[in-house]
Amino acid sequence: QVQLVESGGGLVQPGGSLRLSCAASGFAFSTTWMHWVRQLPGNGREWISTIATHNGATDYADSVKGRFTISRDNAASTLTLQMNGLKPDDTALYYCAANCNWRSTECDYWGQGTQVTVSS
């Protein structure tokens, strides 16, 4: 079955960096668009980034553009989110997701999430 397992979250000071990873299995990762979605405290989920398949085209929400970088390793079935310049507002539970509608949190498959806390 489809499995998405995130890792790499933690506590970081404002301005710091974290690198999230998502190990995928149970589906054709190399031909599936992949996404990162986050759930802010007390709020609903927010789409933050998408990466296409063959050409690796990427898309970002305005809230993270220029600070976050999504990438994928199709050989290793791994999705990554490099987060730089972290702000307290980035504190959230970060999910790896697959088969999402365009710039949406409507996704067929979800990981369990990894917590990112940005605080001094």
Side-chain angles (χ1 to χ4, degrees):
Q1 72 275 21
V2 173
Q3 281 198 312
L4 299 169
V5 180
E6 302 95 335
S7 61
L11 174 64
V12 62
Q13 293 187 341
S17 298
L18 279 176
R19 186 177 180 88
L20 305 184
S21 294
C22 172
S25 62
F27 65 102
F29 179 83
S30 63
T31 58
T32 301
W33 289 43
M34 295 298 297
H35 317 265
W36 287 99
V37 174
R38 67 186 180 185
Q39 181 147 18
L40 302 169
N43 290 296
R45 291 178 176 176
E46 175 191 23
W47 167 83
I48 56 173
S49 188
T50 293
I51 186 165
T53 55
H54 62 286
N55 64 359
T58 58
D59 190 19
Y60 299 93
D62 288 344
S63 58
V64 306
K65 193 176 295 183
R67 300 187 297 121
F68 290 11
T69 302
I70 189 172
S71 61
R72 65 190 298 157
D73 181 342
N74 287 336
S77 296
T78 300
L79 179 72
T80 300
L81 185 69
Q82 176 68 42
M83 306 187 295
N84 299 327
L86 283 162
K87 307 174 182 179
D89 287 350
D90 294 317
T91 294
L93 186 61
Y94 284 73
Y95 295 94
C96 167
N99 283 0
C100 304
N101 290 335
W102 182 249
R103 288 188 156 223
S104 168
T105 60
E106 298 173 359
C107 306
D108 290 336
Y109 304 110
W110 296 88
Q112 83 288 352
T114 186
Q115 179 67 39
V116 172
T117 302
V118 185
S119 175
S120 55

